[in-house]
Amino acid sequence: MAEVSSDQGIPEPEGAVELIDTDYTIGQDNIDGQVGPFGFDIHNPVFLVSGLAIVAFVFYTLALPEQAGAVFSWLFSTVTKGFDWFFLGSANIFVIFCLLLIVTPVGSVRLGGAEATPDYGYVGWFAMLFAAGMGIGLMFFGVLEPVYHMAVSEPLGVPSPFDAEGNLIPENVEAAKTMGLAATIFHWGLHPWAIYAVVALALALFSFNKGLPLTIRSAFYPILGDRVWGWWGHIIDILAVFATLFGLATSLGFGAQQANAGLNHVFGVPVGPSTQVILITGITAIALISVLRGLDGGVKVLSEINMAIAALLLFFVLLAGPTMLILTDFGEGLLAYLKEIVPLSNPVGREDTGFVQGWTSFYWAWWISWSPFVGMFIARVSRGRTVREFVICVLIIPSLVCVLWMAVFGGVAIDQVLSDPATSAVKANVIDSYNPPLSLFAMLEGLPLAGITSVIGIVLVIVFFVTSSDSGSLVIDTITAGGKVDAPVPQRVFWCVFEGAVAIVLLLSAGGLQSLQSMVISTGLPFTVVLLLMCWAIWKGLRAEPR
């Protein structure tokens, strides 16, 4: 059987489990040693192939930014237009699969063994789930997306409340407002969290219950058998590293742009690539400190700080804005989402191609690229939960928090736009001239204490930035160390540095924001196939477990 050792950071199962019978030993293919004062313990060839490829990518993009930008632009257009149906259909499968796990008998399987107890309480657990899964994205898109879908993208053909001259069309207002919120909730609700839940459950089950390494390849043992330790497994793990790194780089790029916009708005700091490079460099340095402190001393503490600051800002906006209208929007947006989820999820025959290809395809690819990172992180903090409890909490509770966030921030922004279109800073920065990084601060400008809340917003973006960076470094290091979760620190430092480097070179390349989006959907495409196969492997693994 696989050797399960707490010396490698993976606790032994507690109570009855169905261990997989294999002679593989965690870390048996690793190369370890010492270079001066720095130790290393890397998986051969996963670390070498993925590390060299990422270094080569950074140098290529720096050396030929125009050529790289053209390639990224072609990738974005090709993948979003040619594979939108595949992303939408696959995401629907993940949601249905998770709902089946809740209602079927396999939901009573406990991760870590029949007698395992949770490593973290609910508060700490939820904080880490939420901060790792959505942080920077909610800050960047919380105001932008509801307003944009209401006024510009016209999901499902619902017309804009504005005519070509920017005048309100009263009869269109209510339907456009409701659909704007429903379409936004669609992108931040069940589908992304189902994607995360699939990967997290696979990793937790095959590591904590089956005794296999905490790597993506382990989930495929029921399909590949011992071949999973060879090149099939190497390819799976390398794809996971690429997907994770580019998914993180996209988030870091968004975070840098938004922090730069906020600093310019409040303090007059210049907006541009130079400032954003300085921001990414500085925040990566802070993330290194958290990386050195580890999961409990770094990520957990930062996640709880995130939650506290985010809750403070959320409740301020709720109370300072039109509170009753926001709460009404919350209910109406949620009902509209549940009503429209099937047509919004439809992968074929759509006429709202701008919404499907420009938004939904990108989002599903982004979430899929993030899934190895978020999934492994969720798996590491979810030992001791039953599958049913795990799926409900990972799927439902964060979705409701995202709905509330979008209803509050988006609801206030929409109210500002519709109440006074002529002077609305949100309308000027989202509808009239598309300036996504400034949208949050434009909304806060219309509320009391704008200077203070804008600073809080900047701090929150930066802390989310740090949390994502150090969480991602821990996860990529685990994959490239053959499943060891206590590999030497210099390896985590390497990945933390190159996450920042990839974000920088993509921002500096021709295309900037689109370059970030292009790489995330390109790596998300092959990894979608991996996730679909993973569902089958999870089902086979769960059916063998004692309940």
Side-chain angles (χ1 to χ4, degrees):
M1 292 185 181
E3 293 183 13
V4 185
S5 171
S6 57
D7 293 338
Q8 307 301 341
I10 300 174
E12 295 186 10
E14 299 176 44
V17 292
E18 188 66 28
L19 288 171
I20 284 178
D21 187 15
T22 175
D23 294 328
Y24 185 82
T25 302
I26 295 174
Q28 74 174 33
D29 295 326
N30 283 20
I31 301 171
D32 58 1
Q34 195 85 12
V35 178
F38 304 113
F40 61 90
D41 191 350
I42 58 176
H43 187 276
N44 180 39
V46 173
F47 183 97
L48 297 175
V49 172
S50 53
L52 289 173
I54 293 300
V55 172
F57 173 85
V58 168
F59 281 105
Y60 162 71
T61 310
L62 280 176
L64 300 168
E66 294 294 329
Q67 184 184 93
V71 172
F72 299 150
S73 178
W74 174 80
L75 280 171
F76 185 81
S77 176
T78 301
V79 176
T80 54
K81 292 179 180 178
F83 295 92
D84 54 342
W85 60 272
F86 180 64
F87 284 125
L88 267 70
S90 299
N92 294 340
I93 291 172
F94 301 140
V95 173
I96 294 168
F97 178 69
C98 286
L99 295 177
L100 283 174
L101 292 179
I102 294 173
V103 299
T104 53
V106 296
S108 60
V109 172
R110 188 171 293 277
L111 301 175
E115 298 174 15
T117 56
D119 294 333
Y120 300 96
Y122 278 112
V123 173
W125 188 41
F126 288 155
M128 287 189 280
L129 295 182
F130 187 73
M134 291 294 177
I136 291 174
L138 286 179
M139 296 297 293
F140 194 89
F141 291 101
V143 169
L144 168 71
E145 197 174 347
V147 174
Y148 190 84
H149 292 329
M150 174 193 72
V152 181
S153 72
E154 301 184 1
L156 298 180
V158 174
S160 170
F162 294 99
D163 62 20
E165 286 73 39
N167 301 311
L168 274 177
I169 307 173
E171 59 268 25
N172 290 355
V173 168
E174 198 56 39
K177 175 182 174 180
T178 303
M179 182 53 73
L181 285 170
T184 303
I185 293 167
F186 172 62
H187 289 151
W188 296 85
L190 295 177
H191 285 77
W193 288 100
I195 290 167
Y196 295 159
V198 166
V199 178
L201 180 58
L203 289 165
L205 174 67
F206 286 96
S207 180
F208 300 146
N209 293 59
K210 306 295 188 181
L212 301 183
L214 189 64
T215 60
I216 304 295
R217 73 172 74 197
S218 294
F220 292 87
Y221 194 92
I223 300 172
L224 296 172
D226 281 328
R227 287 174 296 172
V228 81
W229 313 125
W231 269 104
W232 282 107
H234 300 337
I235 291 169
I236 290 168
D237 278 350
I238 290 167
L239 278 175
V241 171
F242 290 157
T244 303
L245 197 137
F246 285 112
L248 277 167
T250 300
S251 298
L252 300 184
F254 283 143
Q257 290 183 327
Q258 189 171 28
N260 190 183
L263 291 168
N264 173 263
H265 184 71
V266 179
F267 303 111
V269 175
V271 173
S274 298
T275 305
Q276 290 160 20
V277 167
I278 292 170
L279 278 169
I280 293 175
T281 304
I283 294 170
T284 299
I286 298 171
L288 286 173
I289 298 172
S290 182
V291 162
L292 298 175
R293 290 177 60 86
L295 185 65
D296 291 329
V299 178
K300 182 174 181 288
V301 172
L302 281 174
S303 297
E304 291 175 347
I305 292 172
N306 271 355
M307 287 292 288
I309 300 174
L312 179 66
L313 186 61
L314 177 72
F315 284 113
F316 172 81
V317 174
L318 174 62
L319 296 175
T323 306
M324 291 308 300
L325 179 63
I326 293 170
L327 294 175
T328 302
D329 288 343
F330 172 77
E332 291 180 351
L334 186 57
L335 288 174
Y337 164 60
L338 296 174
K339 177 184 174 183
E340 304 292 349
I341 189 171
V342 173
L344 286 169
S345 304
N346 175 30
V348 295
R350 297 285 289 271
E351 296 183 2
D352 52 344
T353 53
F355 175 78
V356 173
Q357 295 173 1
W359 289 85
T360 306
S361 292
F362 163 67
Y363 267 128
W364 288 180
W366 191 16
W367 304 146
I368 288 166
S369 290
W370 262 57
S371 64
F373 149 51
V374 180
M376 187 175 292
F377 185 72
I378 291 174
R380 286 187 61 181
V381 299
S382 300
R383 183 178 171 277
R385 309 287 177 183
T386 66
V387 169
R388 185 171 293 112
E389 177 188 19
F390 171 87
V391 174
I392 289 173
C393 290
V394 172
L395 195 64
I396 305 299
I397 298 200
S399 294
L400 289 175
V401 174
C402 289
V403 172
L404 178 62
W405 186 279
M406 293 300 182
V408 171
F409 283 76
V412 170
I414 288 173
D415 180 65
Q416 291 174 353
V417 169
L418 297 177
S419 298
D420 192 357
T423 63
S424 169
V426 175
K427 181 175 182 293
N429 284 282
V430 175
I431 301 171
D432 300 338
S433 62
Y434 189 60
N435 188 5
L438 198 57
S439 56
L440 170 66
F441 305 102
M443 182 274 289
L444 293 174
E445 188 179 303
L447 299 177
L449 306 175
I452 296 173
T453 55
S454 294
V455 171
I456 291 173
I458 295 168
V459 171
L460 194 54
V461 169
I462 290 172
V463 179
F464 273 129
F465 197 150
V466 173
T467 306
S468 297
S469 181
D470 76 1
S471 303
S473 302
L474 290 168
V475 167
I476 295 175
D477 184 43
T478 300
I479 297 173
T480 57
K484 292 187 176 183
V485 297
D486 57 352
V489 170
Q491 295 168 209
R492 282 174 285 180
V493 171
F494 171 85
W495 290 114
C496 189
V497 168
F498 271 89
E499 284 163 24
V502 169
I504 287 170
V505 298
L506 288 172
L507 279 174
L508 292 177
S509 68
L513 183 61
Q514 190 179 55
S515 296
L516 293 165
Q517 295 173 315
S518 299
M519 290 310 301
V520 81
I521 64 169
S522 301
T523 53
L525 181 61
F527 207 71
T528 305
V529 179
V530 173
L531 262 64
L532 290 170
L533 293 172
M534 194 178 280
C535 292
W536 178 27
I538 290 171
W539 186 256
K540 293 185 70 172
L542 285 173
R543 290 185 64 187
E545 281 294 301
R547 301 165 197 167

